[in-house]
Amino acid sequence: MLISHAFEDGVLHLSLLRDLDVTSRAAAFLETEALLYAHRPRHVRIQLPTSDPSPASLSALSRARRICETLGIPLTVVGPLTPARPPRPAAA
């Protein structure tokens, strides 16, 4: 499994579990395509695993963008989650 997903309120949330390489790029896209056709979302949100994705990850993202565009589904791409920082103490 290369991606995780959740579907809520018409939005398909996809997350790449790791940065893709050439051998996993097509499989990730096929998973994405199957989820798009199964859920028929009104919006898609893809979360990338790193702030500097590999060319293979960008290629899979580009293919997902094209299919979303063809189906008329808006697509949003977000970067990796960063842990929340504790609040800084106030300066005296």
Side-chain angles (χ1 to χ4, degrees):
M1 181 195 256
L2 298 167
I3 61 174
S4 66
H5 76 283
F7 183 69
E8 58 185 67
D9 298 327
V11 179
L12 180 60
H13 300 271
L14 303 173
S15 295
L16 289 178
L17 298 176
R18 62 180 172 85
D19 212 14
L20 301 175
D21 56 23
V22 173
T23 59
S24 59
R25 173 186 59 194
F29 173 71
L30 289 175
E31 285 182 42
T32 301
E33 183 180 40
L35 288 167
L36 284 169
Y37 285 115
H39 292 288
R40 296 289 182 168
R42 62 178 171 74
H43 191 90
V44 175
R45 179 184 169 272
I46 298 179
Q47 182 176 0
L48 298 175
T50 67
S51 57
D52 186 25
S54 68
S57 291
L58 291 175
S59 174
L61 177 62
S62 176
R63 292 178 74 183
R65 181 194 60 80
R66 281 194 303 264
I67 194 166
C68 284
E69 198 172 83
T70 299
L71 296 172
I73 303 170
L75 171 70
T76 301
V77 179
V78 296
L81 290 178
T82 55
R85 295 182 188 167
R88 290 180 148 178

